[in-house]
Amino acid sequence: MIQYTSSACPPVIDLPIPTRPNCQEVNAFILKEAGRVHPAVVVLNANWNVHSQAVLDQLPKTIAAIKQAAPGSKVVIVGNVPRWEPSLPIKMLQKQVHLHSVLSLDAPLLPGLYANDAKLRAVAETTGASFVSALDALCDKGKGSCLATAQLPDGKFQPITWDVGHLTEAGSSLLANKLLPSIAPQAKP
């Protein structure tokens, strides 16, 4: 497994990000690597909800470029993770939540995140990519809540995110274990 990431650079090609001037170069390098390595699966993930419509508009071109560079690779878009404002740890402090069990919290941003995921799912459907919902794995849409904590192998609990949208170690492990069967059915967690 190889992971290429760059801070605040959505995984799209040929799109200038003024606040991150090296994104185009980074994404061009990653596309070239996909062509060199020919991975079984290419997973595209970002904090989709904070990026502009231009990112969604550029995503089909990016998927087409990946499929051309690595024809046998399965392309998977992973949707948004739960978000709380100003952040999950602050929300937990405000609600005086203690880290001693797995629990869910109301997630008022959930409707907007699901609306953004619907756009991502539509891109996946029109490009032949797959879409996997992190929200469906971590949230109860009907109740408007999402898992807020997860357990580490040592038995301790952590918030699933450490800020507004970056997963903690426990959150990453939880989500990976829930999504792996959909992303790469033959892989073992």
Side-chain angles (χ1 to χ4, degrees), residues 55-74:
V55 169
L56 286 172
D57 293 343
Q58 201 67 5
L59 202 49
K61 180 180 178 182
T62 302
I63 293 166
I66 292 167
K67 288 182 174 192
Q68 182 176 5
S73 298
K74 174 183 176 182

Side-chain angles (χ1 to χ4, degrees), residues 47-49 79-85 91 104-121 131 133-148 160-161 164 175:
N47 193 347
W48 301 110
N49 207 49
N80 291 284
V81 298
R83 295 174 53 122
W84 289 266
E85 286 187 352
K91 190 60 69 181
S104 295
L105 285 178
D106 289 343
L109 301 176
L110 208 48
L113 294 170
Y114 269 111
N116 189 262
D117 270 11
K119 295 175 185 177
L120 292 166
R121 186 182 305 272
F131 176 79
S133 175
L135 296 176
D136 287 349
L138 299 173
C139 302
D140 183 331
K141 188 176 182 180
K143 292 182 180 178
S145 64
C146 298
L147 285 174
I160 65 162
T161 62
V164 77
L175 185 59

